[in-house]
Amino acid sequence: MVESSGIRELANRMVVHIENGTTDLAPGVLSVPRKPYFDPDFHQREMSRLFQAEPVVVGLSAEFSRAGDYKAVRLLGRSLLIVRGTDGVARVLLNSCLHRGAEICEEGRGNRKHFTCPYHGWGYGCDGELRLVRRPDHVGQLPADIDRLVALPSVERHGLIWATMDPNSSVDLADWLGPFETELESLGLETWTLHSYHEVPGPNWRLAFEGYLEGYHTDVLHSRTVGAQLVPNVTAVDYFGRHQRISFALPDLQWKVRSGATTAELGASIIPNHIVFPNLSLAGAWSDHATICIVYPSGEAGKSVTHIFTLTRRVPETKLERAVLRQFDGVMLKVTRDEDYPVVQSIQDANRYSGGDFIFGRNEGAVQHFHREVTRYHADGDAQRPAVGGSAHAGAPTLIQLSNTKA
């Protein structure tokens, strides 16, 4: 959790909004062209310049609590095998046999110390080392570098496993996270336990992810679920370079502030949503249960898949605690799968072949910030990582032109 002074300051700021009927506002309205959401060329540019070149979260530490725990998954144009070795290291390996390229593990998760290619029977350890070549006398002398599965550059930190899709790159997480690293570290996710995991197909990744970045729709679309539990149309947005934190208030926050509640009590009435650019939402990490949603673009501009994790700060011990956790898991899955994504899919269906712009209001500042960060990866010319917090229009001309209307 953030430092005590930060919690109280945030709580006071949100109560002022509640009492005045206000919310955090961006300087102006932002217009974003609709075409790039659905254009194959723009989609490929996002894939190559952002998702395949920058650090992306591919798993959670909680998924791999024991040696041999693995997940085989297709993400971002790669077939990946993520597995914790007997040395305790979680590796992100290409799920492709060194011999003829067959996937050595079918999609799914489980626990194995050994993996065997189903094509010719070559065997590998859970550290990726080549352990068995059938009939080596018939195969012949292998090149010296054919000794282990290709490992993508990866780092496990703050309860998350990050990787880049280019085997020849590196992961500089301190540079990527910038000032947000301290915020993530304070959450202590490495000690949390995984309760459930779901995969939900969706439309274009940006359309899907926008819904995690604003609370303007919650009292309408989610009026019978999470919207009924939050103070409507009140959010506090804090920026950490390319990343951000969006905070929502429970109705009792105002009373707690006025009655002199402790910082821990204040924090329990604030629901933070930590946004790790470009595609991860972590909601509720100051409570006992949290939801992580990671929206991955697919091979087509109009498709994505969202990995949804429910985490618990401690394993429930009583029947009531287990029931509360199951209810939380069910509600959060319903919000995404049954409420958000059908509406977002309809937006895609209605606008795939239309022109014009999407409009993001001053009360949707976090969405505006997200689009400015994404747009910088569409700069014309040689692709270079944009500087943290740079302007959408700084440097080379961008292929997506955003337009602001000041208040």
Side-chain angles (χ1 to χ4, degrees), residues 38-81:
F38 316 116
D39 186 285
D41 292 335
F42 282 90
H43 177 73
Q44 184 54 46
R45 190 175 295 110
E46 287 174 351
M47 290 290 286
S48 62
R49 294 186 178 183
L50 178 53
F51 284 98
Q52 294 176 356
E54 302 288 21
V56 177
V57 175
V58 297
L60 278 57
S61 299
E63 296 181 84
F64 311 95
S65 58
R66 301 172 299 160
D69 283 351
Y70 76 88
K71 177 172 69 175
V73 62
R74 294 188 179 118
L75 289 179
L76 306 174
R78 305 287 190 270
S79 180
L80 303 180
L81 176 61

Side-chain angles (χ1 to χ4, degrees), residues 9-26 231-238 247-249 253-254 257-258 362-363:
E9 179 182 346
L10 177 60
N12 289 335
R13 173 175 149 205
M14 299 190 76
V15 166
V16 170
H17 281 321
I18 294 171
E19 294 178 343
N20 295 330
T22 57
T23 190
D24 279 9
L25 296 174
V231 178
N233 298 303
V234 171
T235 55
V237 184
D238 295 283
S247 300
F248 305 89
L253 179 63
Q254 186 176 9
V257 167
R258 297 310 178 208
R362 296 184 65 204
N363 58 339

